[in-house]
């Protein structure tokens, strides 16, 4: 219940991000690839501004690659649907260049793309705790 409140508050605070009633996020991410386009506005809390991150998911394993910098990490993830148009991806990267723990909330605009909110609670790249937004494509 608390997560649903966080999602609703986030949607209110970020007016450019909306969800479409007719879209639906996938039930699972097994054998999916997600491209995350990070918001282009650089701030000290958004060191990957303008970057593109590729997530490859198989079973419960994830490989994350920051395509511009060539930083690759891997670990495990949990994914769950909050509502048909909102989902939560929780990740723990335990091997590679950037070991981190983060959550990403996906809000679809259609069945393949939309907006996301990224919240990192622990990481190797400073600041270790940060948040950013962007758009995504699920292939």
């Amino acid at each position: 219940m608390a997560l649903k409140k966080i999602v609703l508050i986030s949607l209110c605070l970020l007016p450019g991000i909306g969800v479409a009633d007719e879209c639906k996020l996938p039930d699972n991410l097994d054998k999916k690839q997600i491209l995350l386009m990070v918001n282009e506005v650089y701030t000290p809390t958004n060191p990957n501004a303008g970057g593109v991150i590729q997530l490859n998911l198989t079973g419960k394993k994830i490989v994350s690659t920051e395509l511009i910098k060539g930083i690759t990490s891997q670990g495990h993830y949990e994914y769950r649907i909050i509502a048909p148009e909102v989902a939560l991806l929780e990740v723990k990267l335990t091997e590679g260049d950037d070991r981190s723990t983060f959550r990403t909330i996906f809000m679809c605009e259609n069945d393949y793309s939309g907006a996301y909110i990224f919240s990192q609670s622990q990481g190797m790249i400073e600041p270790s705790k940060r948040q950013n937004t962007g758009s995504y494509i699920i292939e």
Side-chain angles (χ1 to χ4, degrees), residues 6-88:
I6 291 169
V7 170
L8 291 173
I9 291 168
S10 298
L11 291 172
C12 293
L13 294 176
L14 299 168
I17 297 176
V19 296
D21 290 335
E22 62 277 352
C23 66
K24 183 177 185 248
L25 283 150
D27 292 329
N28 69 70
L29 296 178
D30 186 29
K31 299 179 184 164
K32 299 276 188 195
Q33 182 179 81
I34 303 174
L35 293 177
L36 302 173
M37 286 69 69
V38 183
N39 183 321
E40 294 180 353
V41 178
Y42 176 82
T43 65
T45 60
N46 188 12
N48 292 327
V52 178
I53 298 166
Q54 177 179 316
L55 304 176
N56 289 299
L57 306 109
T58 305
K60 292 294 182 185
K61 294 184 179 182
I62 184 169
V63 176
S64 173
T65 304
E66 212 282 53
L67 296 177
I68 294 172
K69 296 177 183 175
I71 295 172
T72 299
S73 301
Q74 52 193 322
H76 295 86
Y77 75 92
E78 292 291 328
Y79 174 78
R80 69 177 191 223
I81 300 293
I82 307 301
E85 64 281 345
V86 180
L88 173 66

Side-chain angles (χ1 to χ4, degrees), residues 68-126:
I68 294 172
K69 296 177 183 175
I71 295 172
T72 299
S73 301
Q74 52 193 322
H76 295 86
Y77 75 92
E78 292 291 328
Y79 174 78
R80 69 177 191 223
I81 300 293
I82 307 301
E85 64 281 345
V86 180
L88 173 66
L89 175 68
E90 295 181 286
V91 175
K92 184 161 185 123
L93 299 175
T94 56
E95 300 174 38
D97 300 321
D98 181 22
R99 294 178 205 123
S100 60
T101 303
F102 61 87
R103 290 177 155 187
T104 303
I105 297 171
F106 293 101
M107 298 154 289
C108 64
E109 293 175 3
N110 58 54
D111 289 348
Y112 306 99
S113 65
Y116 72 86
I117 301 170
F118 169 90
S119 300
Q120 180 174 290
S121 59
Q122 175 186 7
M124 295 173 64
I125 297 174
E126 292 298 327

